[in-house]
Amino acid sequence: MNKVIIFTSTLLASSSAWALVPPDYKEPPSDFNAEIEAGMQLNTGNNQSQNFNGRTYLNYDTEKARQELTLKAYYAADDESTTAEKYDLYAQSSYKLDSGYVFGRGEFTWDDFGSYTKLSTISAGYGFDIISNYQTKLSLEVGPGYRYDLPKATDSDLNPEANQDIILRTAAKYSVKLQEYTSLNADLTSEVGEDNNTLTLDLSYKNTFLQDWAFKIGVNVKYTAVVPEDSFKTDTITTFNLLYTFQ
């Protein structure tokens, strides 16, 4: 009799456990996801060095709005001194409409070894999706903004004055899923102002080799039409990173 009671209790307990946590249970999708990556970099242009970089990306996407924050850090040094030190901060809030979205965006850069040591751009505008499906997404953004640039000091100008300009910012954001575990992203951004123009291409290839781990190759190319003397107009940063995704 005791064996029957024990067997029945065990069976009921197991049934309750299955009822509480079914074998095919999956966590519901989250509105929040984040990416953290780190690795080595190769700089050409105003910086000639090889060293390490890091990036953190936060995304909170709901039915009515999307909040994005990106922080990048680059640091390089040789045997004698630091040769590159740069920090980028991007923040964008987008509010979804029946067709497209409106956004506000801020971009801030501190670059001790760049042609411009401090750059700030604040913009707002309208964006919309041209293509949006499981495999491919292409969106465009356009809107006015304000740009603040502080050139680096030179022999002929030890205390340069900052440039302040009203700009028109346009951006195209493209992503495609090449295969189940590989994807390609390309962002092209143009800032046109009265005093200066810039064009930036941010290209990355990602290959997922575990559920949340991926290998990522990135290339960032920025062209600036007007730069201080003894500066290159084009800066290129190539990165080879290990990326982890939180969801």
Side-chain angles (χ1 to χ4, degrees), residues 135-139 173-177 183-187:
Q135 185 175 11
T136 306
K137 184 173 182 179
L138 174 63
S139 61
K173 301 181 179 181
Y174 175 74
S175 63
V176 58
K177 198 175 183 66
S183 61
L184 178 70
N185 291 271
D187 294 349

Side-chain angles (χ1 to χ4, degrees), residues 121-150:
T121 301
I122 299 174
S123 60
Y126 174 75
F128 60 96
D129 295 331
I130 297 179
I131 304 173
S132 183
N133 54 51
Y134 171 76
Q135 185 175 11
T136 306
K137 184 173 182 179
L138 174 63
S139 61
L140 298 180
E141 295 179 352
V142 60
Y146 165 82
R147 182 175 60 207
Y148 170 95
D149 297 341
L150 179 63

Side-chain angles (χ1 to χ4, degrees), residues 40-88:
M40 62 173 289
Q41 72 187 50
L42 173 64
N43 290 354
T44 62
N46 291 290
N47 301 321
Q48 300 285 343
S49 60
Q50 299 182 43
N51 222 290
F52 296 97
N53 75 94
R55 169 183 171 270
T56 299
Y57 171 73
L58 307 177
N59 179 21
Y60 184 66
D61 194 352
T62 64
E63 184 179 350
K64 295 183 178 181
R66 180 172 63 251
Q67 316 296 332
E68 297 174 277
L69 179 68
T70 303
L71 175 63
K72 297 180 180 181
Y74 306 93
Y75 178 82
D78 56 23
D79 295 336
E80 299 180 355
S81 62
T82 300
T83 57
E85 187 172 4
K86 179 182 178 183
Y87 304 95
D88 293 328

Side-chain angles (χ1 to χ4, degrees), residues 16 56 69 110 123 128 158 213 229 246:
S16 301
T56 299
L69 179 68
W110 299 266
S123 60
F128 60 96
L158 298 178
W213 292 91
E229 62 180 12
F246 297 88

Side-chain angles (χ1 to χ4, degrees), residues 6-25:
I6 294 173
F7 175 77
T8 303
S9 301
T10 303
L11 183 61
L12 291 174
S14 300
S15 300
S16 301
W18 281 102
L20 291 173
V21 185
D24 57 348
Y25 174 79

